[in-house]
Amino acid sequence: MSTKKRWIKISLVVALASSLLVGCASNKNETKTGSDTEGPITLSWFDANTKGEPFTNAIAQEITKRTGIKLEIQQPTGNPTEKLSLMLASGDYPDVVVMSRGDASLEKYISTGAFIPLNDLIDQYGSDIKEMYGDTLVKTRYSDGKNYYMANWYSLDTDPVFGMLMRRSLLQELAPDKADGSKPLTTEEFEALLKDFKSKHKQIDGKESIPMTMNGENMGANLGTFKGMWGMKTYYENNGKLEYDVKDPKYREMLLYMNSLYRQGLIEKEFAISKKQIWEQKLAGGQVFATPGAYWDPGTPNTALKKDGGVDNQLFAYKVVAPGNDAAKTTFGPRSSLGWDAIGITKNNKHPEATMKLFNFLSSEEGQHLLLWGLEGKDWERVDGKKVPNEELLKSYKDNWDEAVKKYGVRKWLWFIKNGLDSDGQPYDMVVKYERNEVDNQAIKSLGDSTWDTAPYDNLNPDGGTPEALVAQKVKDIMDQSITKAIIASSEADANAIFDKMLEDMKKAGDSKVEEIINKKYQERIKLWGTKE
């Protein structure tokens, strides 16, 4: 064989071997989105909810290992909405933006082209997204029929939210048959309890007792609790049209009931100016019998109460039902199946395909387990087909949440989160829902049937910057000021007069113009979702 032919043969063999090696390397790293030769891709990532800590903990490192992408987390200094507006105005926005779905900036990021449409990218690289999100992708479409963001904390969370929080130990004394939360109370029974408490407990541990107080900085939770008793939702649906909730006749009944409690000295006089810290101090001091709110709100006071007097000394959530309302139709659990946040890819992103592959991984069950359970073999193990978390990890989160997040990184990066149960029938949100405490369990038992989906009514107000948006803000201000005044009115007649004037002032401000837009957006949404009115 000639020398020339030998070299041709050797060259062919080397070329074939090289191509096989390249193929093996490609197969071995096919789940990665970055390039091994170039190193990981770095994406700038603005998250309105994250404090800007570096993306370096164990879970972050595992994400980079599996996807070939590092994230540079940007911290929203000051007001996130102002930062979002500044970025939009300058065009200097990062590769990925996470913002509240209720933020006025969202529509602007879409309408100005700052967020790119995701449909083609999802079709190519989002098989797990399609499987996990399902019809959520339909419900988060923009008016042009395209998806510009991924929902976060999506799918309906079946846990309740609000309830009338009462000290169980005191309720055991006053109404032992109601203490376990299995039977709802009527508003009349609740009022009688407040009176009974006031007459039997003039003081507690040397401090003046308080039948009921409220967190003045969270009137949304206070009113949400009372609205739940009357079965009211975001809007009053009147002959197929949506109107402001205060126009529901039940709303007046609710406020008059609150006013009656206030005039009888059953609601603390200073509640309207009570700051959260003071409210927590009063609860922790053990002098308060009841307070409205989300069942998790008094977490810190309950820790102190439990330490002082045991499990039953804590504030537990109870269902109270208004006259004429069905206990099964209470609305204590407003939850949005479309979640809290929007996660979008901006037009400045030079790696949209790689970014979508990252989105797809994090959205998958594997990604969710990594974000919310941690590392298998370290933070959890599989036993008899079920995931079992590290006991020390669970205890750490119960003892000191912030320190545990720093140590383990579980529940640190909260993106593309899906509520509910995974394919193993276990909760995605392990730290919160794997091992429920006694307060959680009673809330679920007492109020679990009162959860409802707010998604059809979310974000229907006029777009920011429009004349109608200014009207909507004026109407809101009128309601906020008048409702508190009605609660603390010196007589029922005065409360009624304040309520009447509120409705009159709303009308003068132009509330009907706002309601026209609300209904127009609502009908467009129903049509876009392909659902019946």
Side-chain angles (χ1 to χ4, degrees):
M1 186 183 292
S2 68
T3 303
K4 183 177 180 181
K5 285 183 178 178
R6 269 201 312 272
W7 277 111
I8 289 172
K9 264 192 149 182
I10 291 167
S11 298
L12 288 170
V13 170
V14 170
L16 180 60
S18 298
S19 67
L20 287 170
L21 285 170
V22 170
C24 289
S26 175
N27 290 337
K28 184 178 179 182
N29 295 298
E30 64 185 358
T31 58
K32 288 195 176 184
T33 58
S35 167
D36 286 337
T37 56
E38 297 173 3
I41 292 170
T42 298
L43 298 177
S44 52
W45 188 289
F46 175 89
D47 187 342
N49 308 307
T50 303
K51 295 178 182 177
E53 289 89 345
F55 193 70
T56 54
N57 65 22
I59 290 173
Q61 290 177 35
E62 187 67 18
I63 291 170
T64 301
K65 179 182 173 183
R66 297 196 199 184
T67 66
I69 288 182
K70 285 184 178 179
L71 302 182
E72 182 185 277
I73 309 294
Q74 294 187 358
Q75 183 172 13
T77 53
N79 186 322
T81 297
E82 291 177 5
K83 177 66 174 175
L84 287 163
S85 297
L86 285 172
M87 291 192 300
L88 187 64
S90 66
D92 183 22
Y93 27 74
D95 298 312
V96 174
V97 170
V98 183
M99 69 170 80
S100 166
R101 285 184 59 250
D103 197 303
S105 298
L106 178 58
E107 200 279 336
K108 293 176 185 175
Y109 269 71
I110 295 172
S111 62
T112 61
F115 276 174
I116 64 171
L118 305 177
N119 302 69
D120 291 343
L121 290 168
I122 292 172
D123 285 341
Q124 286 182 274
Y125 308 108
S127 58
D128 288 302
I129 286 172
K130 287 183 175 181
E131 182 179 344
M132 293 285 276
Y133 277 77
D135 69 352
T136 300
L137 291 174
V138 175
K139 294 183 176 182
T140 53
R141 290 181 302 185
Y142 191 55
S143 56
D144 62 4
K146 295 178 181 178
N147 289 95
Y148 289 88
Y149 67 86
M150 302 297 301
N152 198 23
W153 290 104
Y154 67 100
S155 190
L156 192 65
D157 187 337
T158 56
D159 282 5
V161 180
F162 304 124
M164 186 53 70
L165 313 179
M166 292 182 258
R167 291 260 306 283
R168 185 195 272 173
S169 56
L170 291 168
L171 194 54
Q172 286 170 338
E173 172 198 330
L174 301 170
D177 63 318
K178 303 288 188 180
D180 68 353
S182 59
K183 299 176 185 177
L185 296 97
T186 66
T187 48
E188 292 88 347
E189 288 173 328
F190 177 62
E191 182 176 344
L193 278 172
L194 295 176
K195 290 176 181 175
D196 201 10
F197 169 78
K198 186 179 180 182
S199 65
K200 290 181 178 177
H201 296 277
K202 303 294 185 187
Q203 289 190 330
I204 292 181
D205 295 333
K207 293 171 282 192
E208 183 182 355
S209 65
I210 302 169
M212 178 165 64
T213 190
M214 295 192 271
N215 176 4
E217 288 188 307
N218 195 356
M219 282 302 291
N222 299 329
L223 294 171
T225 302
F226 282 93
K227 282 178 67 174
M229 298 178 191
W230 267 263
M232 289 185 278
K233 295 186 176 182
T234 311
Y235 295 102
Y236 170 44
E237 197 155 346
N238 187 15
N239 294 321
K241 297 290 184 182
L242 301 182
E243 298 180 1
Y244 278 103
D245 58 355
V246 295
K247 295 185 180 181
D248 188 333
K250 294 179 186 175
Y251 206 104
R252 185 189 294 264
E253 289 177 27
M254 178 194 85
L255 278 190
L256 292 178
Y257 175 73
M258 294 177 75
N259 171 253
S260 173
L261 297 181
Y262 183 82
R263 285 186 288 108
Q264 295 178 73
L266 303 177
I267 297 178
E268 186 183 24
K269 294 294 181 188
E270 299 81 16
F271 83 87
I273 56 171
S274 176
K275 301 295 183 185
K276 180 184 177 182
Q277 187 178 6
I278 302 300
W279 173 75
E280 287 186 328
Q281 287 174 359
K282 288 177 180 176
L283 298 184
Q287 69 211 84
V288 176
F289 171 59
T291 188
Y295 68 87
W296 56 80
D297 281 345
T300 302
N302 268 348
T303 299
L305 290 168
K306 185 176 181 178
K307 185 178 179 182
D308 289 343
V311 168
D312 290 340
N313 201 39
Q314 299 174 99
L315 290 145
F316 286 80
Y318 292 88
K319 179 185 284 192
V320 180
V321 186
N325 191 31
D326 185 340
K329 292 182 179 178
T330 50
T331 50
F332 290 99
R335 295 278 192 176
S336 176
S337 60
L338 301 185
W340 306 341
D341 300 320
I343 307 174
I345 299 174
T346 73
K347 65 180 181 182
N348 288 357
N349 189 316
K350 292 182 171 58
H351 306 282
E353 294 86 2
T355 304
M356 182 52 68
K357 289 179 183 178
L358 172 70
F359 282 17
N360 188 64
F361 169 71
L362 293 176
S363 299
S364 70
E365 280 217 338
E366 182 184 5
Q368 293 292 285
H369 290 154
L370 180 58
L371 293 170
L372 299 172
W373 283 72
L375 300 167
E376 184 175 5
K378 175 176 174 284
D379 301 320
W380 62 275
E381 293 183 359
R382 195 169 286 278
V383 179
D384 297 329
K386 294 289 186 181
K387 298 182 297 300
V388 178
N390 179 329
E391 287 187 15
E392 184 184 333
L393 180 150
L394 276 181
K395 185 176 185 303
S396 295
Y397 276 83
K398 289 177 184 177
D399 293 345
N400 191 322
W401 182 283
D402 292 339
E403 287 303 313
V405 170
K406 287 179 185 176
K407 180 178 179 180
Y408 295 99
V410 172
R411 224 177 179 275
K412 169 63 178 173
W413 316 111
L414 297 175
W415 304 312
F416 313 98
I417 304 302
K418 184 172 185 175
N419 287 308
L421 305 178
D422 63 18
S423 58
D424 293 331
Q426 294 182 275
Y428 284 110
D429 194 357
M430 178 269 289
V431 171
V432 173
K433 298 193 175 184
Y434 179 81
E435 196 173 86
R436 308 302 291 259
N437 63 33
E438 56 275 358
V439 171
D440 291 10
N441 284 329
Q442 176 160 312
I444 293 165
K445 178 175 74 172
S446 301
L447 299 151
D449 63 349
S450 66
T451 302
W452 59 283
D453 191 0
T454 68
Y457 314 110
D458 291 347
N459 308 326
L460 293 177
N461 273 314
D463 297 334
T466 62
E468 292 81 8
L470 295 175
V471 174
Q473 183 59 52
K474 187 173 182 181
V475 170
K476 182 181 182 301
D477 292 342
I478 291 168
M479 289 193 298
D480 290 346
Q481 294 162 15
S482 304
I483 287 167
T484 302
K485 286 180 182 176
I487 294 170
I488 64 174
S490 58
S491 68
E492 183 175 312
D494 285 348
N496 266 313
I498 291 166
F499 194 80
D500 289 334
K501 188 173 187 307
M502 175 189 72
L503 295 176
E504 184 183 333
D505 289 345
M506 288 169 61
K507 186 175 181 179
K508 287 178 181 176
D511 64 347
S512 60
K513 295 176 184 177
V514 180
E515 288 174 340
E516 281 179 22
I517 291 172
I518 288 169
N519 280 282
K520 183 173 180 288
K521 285 190 171 188
Y522 180 66
Q523 292 303 324
E524 288 171 351
R525 177 172 295 173
I526 296 302
K527 185 179 178 182
L528 191 65
W529 288 7
T531 55
K532 294 180 180 179
E533 189 178 350

